[in-house]
Amino acid sequence: MSPVYLGLGANLGDPIETLHRAVAALRAAPGLHNVTCSALYASKPMGPQDQPDYVNAVVRGYTSLPPEALLDVVQQIEHAHGRVRKERWGARTLDIDILLYGEQQIATERLNIPHVGLELREFVLIPLAEIAPTLDLPSGKSVKSLAERIPLNGLVKIAP
Ligand SMILES: CC1(C)Nc2nc(N)[nH]c(=O)c2N=C1O
């Protein structure tokens, strides 16, 4: 079983309810075990500012699914929550990104793991450090040190 970390984000509809339902769906997903979720965080949009603030969280699970099969599970959950990706960096009902898959470094048509934005996004690093404070990234950097240095940009914890 590999530990996998997923980044959840939503800023349309009822983002808090959406994230709760997405975590419940991940917990029920075949092939994903011992799912743990960070607190929920409110964050300012990265990218175009003419969109609502986001609600973000990070989930850890354990899986024997190959990365592409895990992606299929994640994309099914996104679509079940009306995942409509209009413009590239626009508002969305639900985004689930695979941030980490064990120590693996994967670059295919469908998958880039570790997620490219991982080390630059407070709305990923802070919830990730909350649930995995001793984790080192495949790059060798420690999540804790990255989280201590990243500007918070107004990020606030909104729910345990
Ligand atoms: C549009 C872009 C880059 N901005 C975001 N900004 C925030 N704060 N949270 C996100 O989850 C998020 N997701 C995105 O995809």
Side-chain angles (χ1 to χ4, degrees):
M1 292 269 211
S2 298
V4 295
Y5 291 85
L6 307 174
L8 281 62
N11 72 337
L12 288 177
D14 180 347
I16 292 176
E17 180 60 23
T18 298
L19 260 61
H20 284 150
R21 289 175 186 273
V23 172
L26 288 166
R27 288 201 159 106
L32 197 59
H33 307 280
N34 297 338
V35 170
T36 302
C37 187
S38 71
L40 302 186
Y41 292 80
S43 63
K44 299 293 175 208
M46 177 181 177
Q49 297 298 298
D50 58 342
Q51 60 179 310
D53 288 356
Y54 280 79
V55 176
N56 287 106
V58 168
V59 160
R60 177 185 50 237
Y62 293 84
T63 190
S64 302
L65 293 173
E68 300 272 344
L70 176 63
L71 181 61
D72 291 339
V73 168
V74 157
Q75 289 182 336
Q76 281 159 13
I77 295 170
E78 284 182 330
H79 287 103
H81 290 79
R83 166 85 171 95
V84 176
R85 184 193 291 253
K86 297 188 184 76
E87 57 278 10
R88 180 165 147 72
W89 281 37
R92 62 277 318 278
T93 46
L94 176 65
D95 232 3
I96 307 178
D97 293 324
I98 303 176
L99 303 172
L100 294 164
Y101 187 107
E103 291 284 311
Q104 294 196 32
Q105 304 194 48
I106 302 165
T108 66
E109 185 84 4
R110 294 181 70 201
L111 278 173
N112 264 295
I113 298 175
H115 188 272
V116 288
L118 177 59
E119 298 186 17
L120 304 171
R121 297 178 174 191
E122 74 285 353
F123 54 86
V124 172
L125 280 175
I126 301 301
L128 180 59
E130 178 198 327
I131 63 172
T134 61
L135 182 67
D136 288 338
L137 299 176
S139 64
K141 292 182 189 162
S142 97
V143 164
K144 185 172 183 293
S145 68
L146 287 165
E148 284 166 352
R149 286 167 180 73
I150 189 121
L152 288 182
N153 187 31
L155 186 80
V156 290
K157 188 183 284 191
I158 48 177

